[in-house]
């Protein structure tokens, strides 16, 4: 992308300057990475994301990073207990399927054991009840699946096998907050060279609070001293470096979750003002699977599932809109 096509002069903050106020927050995220070691397995996941991105982007395929599920926050260094959240990963898993259907390659950065694309359709099925023992004519026995238990599975399975064959889905797991943040940065750097062709779809429920590692008990907190007093710090907002340093040309979509309807729209608008990115998807906890509000710097509108049979995912509508917006964004800002 050329300087002249850039949507806003202050988004591409490379050096601290008075006209680049985002740098005021730079220290917080840098300090976080300096004071937390890279998690085990980080180097190989980083390389995997880099190779995946290079392969698809050089073929001209758009790549989206979908983050999904909740981050856990450890209370001890040798972690026994942690703070967790409600996120099931349905938003991310379902969205990844619709991005793949739209021709995107997807890096699916997700919480270990949260819902996954395609596999999520089996999450209500007990595998052991689906399988049967069948007697063969020669007296041997074999395992067969009872297809009547999952009528939609055949079409889902076919799509999944195509996605596997085309290598268009990369699954990358995290559990802890720190691991998620390291992998987010690595993914952003792997995708940054592709400029506007990249989308970030940040649906993970990332903890706002954590205990810095130097303030954390090494061993399991003992109950013999009475209830512990735990002081949490605010997690630095990684949208700041993502938008201004790691991938300044990308199309960035963040999520805003609230339980109080009265706060939702203003908080979503504030996020757009604070980070200067493209879209916020605002949702209320209880109705997140039926309705969301799509907020851009110019307008906002609510979309809800209209299909009364309940067979349609809200993510299908969200992804359709985002793909259209991303296409316009690439045309307006140039491919690189
Ligand atoms: C979301 O708002 C997602 O839509 C949900 C999806 C986590 C609600 P599920 O995984 O739920 O399908 O069960 N994600 C982002 C939530 C969040 O933590 N946003 C931050 C905030 O609201 C900003 S990045 O402050």
């Amino acid at each position: 992308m050329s300087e002249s096509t850039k949507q806003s002069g202050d988004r591409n903050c490379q050096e601290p300057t008075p006209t680049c106020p985002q740098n005021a927050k730079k220290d917080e995220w840098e300090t976080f990475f300096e004071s937390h070691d890279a998690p085990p397995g980080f180097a190989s996941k980083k390389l995997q994301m880099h190779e995946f991105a290079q392969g698809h982007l050089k073929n001209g395929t758009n790549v989206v990073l979908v983050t999904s599920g909740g981050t856990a926050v450890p209370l001890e260094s040798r972690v026994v207990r942690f703070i967790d959240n409600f996120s099931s990963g349905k938003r991310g898993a379902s969205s990844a399927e619709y991005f793949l259907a739209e021709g995107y390659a997807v890096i699916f950065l997700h919480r270990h054991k949260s819902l996954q694309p395609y596999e999520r359709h089996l999450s209500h099925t007990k595998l052991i009840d689906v399988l049967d023992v069948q007697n063969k004519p020669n007296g041997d026995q074999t395992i067969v699946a009872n297809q009547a238990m999952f009528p939609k599975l055949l079409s889902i399975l076919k799509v999944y096998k195509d996605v596997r064959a085309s290598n268009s889905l990369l699954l990358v797991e995290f559990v802890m907050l720190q691991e998620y943040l390291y992998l987010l940065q690595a993914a952003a750097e792997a995708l940054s060279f592709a400029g506007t062709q990249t989308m970030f779809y940040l649906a993970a429920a990332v903890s706002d609070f954590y205990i810095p590692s130097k303030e954390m008990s090494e061993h399991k907190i003992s109950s013999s001293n009475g209830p512990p007093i735990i002081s949490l710090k605010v997690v630095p907002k990684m949208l700041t470096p993502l938008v201004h340093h790691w991938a300044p040309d990308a199309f960035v979509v963040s999520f805003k979750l609230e339980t109080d309807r009265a706060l939702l729209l203003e908080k979503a608008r504030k996020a757009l003002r604070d980070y200067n990115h493209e879209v916020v998807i605002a949702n209320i906890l209880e109705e997140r699977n039926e309705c969301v509000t799509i907020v851009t710097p110019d307008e906002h509108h609510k979309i809800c599932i209209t299909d009364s049979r309940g067979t349609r995912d809200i993510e299908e509508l969200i992804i359709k809109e985002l793909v259209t917006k991303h296409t316009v964004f690439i045309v307006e800002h140039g491919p690189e």
Side-chain angles (χ1 to χ4, degrees):
M1 181 189 291
S2 72
E3 277 304 307
S4 59
T5 55
K6 202 82 194 75
Q7 69 162 19
S8 137
D10 68 357
R11 179 158 160 177
N12 202 353
C13 294
Q14 298 302 336
E15 299 294 333
T17 68
T19 55
C20 201
Q22 290 77 13
N23 278 295
K25 291 245 162 70
K26 188 174 173 183
D27 282 347
E28 290 173 18
W29 61 268
E30 280 187 331
T31 308
F32 182 93
F33 286 115
E34 278 162 16
S35 52
H36 293 85
D37 291 337
F42 173 66
S44 77
K45 287 179 183 177
K46 183 177 174 169
L47 183 65
Q48 264 188 315
M49 291 195 284
H50 188 76
E51 287 175 352
F52 181 87
Q54 291 274 338
H56 286 287
L57 292 165
K58 81 166 182 273
N59 294 337
T61 308
N62 291 343
V63 180
V64 57
L65 175 78
V66 174
T67 70
S68 184
T71 57
V73 173
L75 299 186
E76 300 114 348
S77 305
R78 301 192 188 187
V79 55
V80 174
R81 304 184 185 94
F82 52 84
I83 304 171
D84 210 344
N85 68 53
F86 68 95
S87 172
S88 66
K90 189 262 176 181
R91 171 84 76 231
S94 170
S95 300
E97 290 174 19
Y98 291 106
F99 276 121
L100 287 158
E102 293 280 352
Y104 280 66
V106 176
I107 299 178
F108 186 65
L109 178 56
H110 66 285
R111 167 72 180 269
H112 176 63
K113 289 195 172 156
S114 64
L115 292 179
Q116 292 198 22
Y118 309 109
E119 221 179 312
R120 75 184 174 103
H121 299 277
L122 292 172
S123 65
H124 300 298
T125 316
K126 240 177 129 184
L127 189 60
I128 198 131
D129 289 336
V130 167
L131 302 178
D132 256 327
V133 177
Q134 194 178 65
N135 297 317
K136 289 186 176 176
N138 66 1
D140 288 352
Q141 292 190 314
T142 187
I143 298 170
V144 290
N146 178 354
Q147 291 184 40
M149 298 277 293
F150 24 47
K152 286 193 300 183
L153 189 64
L154 185 62
S155 56
I156 293 162
L157 197 58
K158 282 199 277 193
V159 176
Y160 171 69
K161 296 290 173 189
D162 285 349
V163 164
R164 286 298 299 262
S166 61
N167 186 34
S168 26
L169 173 63
L170 177 67
L171 304 174
V172 182
E173 284 188 352
F174 65 84
V175 177
M176 297 298 167
L177 171 75
Q178 155 205 1
E179 198 179 2
Y180 168 83
L181 296 178
Y182 261 92
L183 290 168
L184 176 67
Q185 182 185 32
E189 286 176 353
L191 292 167
S192 63
F193 76 95
T196 54
Q197 235 182 295
T198 313
M199 192 193 299
F200 289 84
Y201 181 84
L202 307 172
V206 182
S207 175
D208 281 328
F209 309 108
Y210 77 115
I211 307 174
S213 49
K214 59 178 187 308
E215 293 171 27
M216 207 185 282
S217 155
E218 182 189 349
H219 293 284
K220 180 176 173 248
I221 299 169
S222 168
S223 61
S224 53
N225 302 328
I229 295 169
I230 295 169
S231 160
L232 299 171
K233 295 265 182 318
V234 174
V235 175
K237 294 288 183 200
M238 295 297 170
L239 262 174
T240 303
L242 174 71
V243 171
H244 300 284
H245 300 277
W246 302 339
D249 295 332
F251 186 85
V252 178
V253 181
S254 73
F255 280 73
K256 178 55 69 183
L257 173 74
E258 288 299 332
T259 50
D260 181 349
R261 202 174 291 277
L263 302 178
L264 187 63
L265 195 55
E266 191 33 48
K267 288 219 173 179
R269 288 202 185 110
K270 183 175 184 316
L272 285 175
R273 284 197 302 274
D274 286 351
Y275 305 111
N276 195 21
H277 59 304
E278 281 63 43
V279 182
V280 174
I281 313 277
N283 51 179
I284 293 290
L285 181 66
E286 296 80 11
E287 68 172 36
R288 68 189 188 278
N289 289 323
E290 286 81 42
C291 294
V292 300
T293 302
I294 300 200
V295 188
T296 68
D298 305 325
E299 59 98 38
H300 70 272
H301 60 277
K302 190 168 181 174
I303 53 172
C304 294
I305 303 177
T306 49
D307 185 344
S308 56
R309 288 167 301 161
T311 52
R312 207 164 160 200
D313 294 309
I314 183 78
E315 290 78 13
E316 183 179 358
L317 307 180
I318 299 174
I319 302 318
K320 268 209 170 70
E321 271 214 51
L322 291 181
V323 169
T324 306
K325 287 188 192 311
H326 188 204
T327 308
V328 172
F329 179 83
I330 294 171
V331 170
E332 283 179 359
H333 298 284
E336 280 171 42

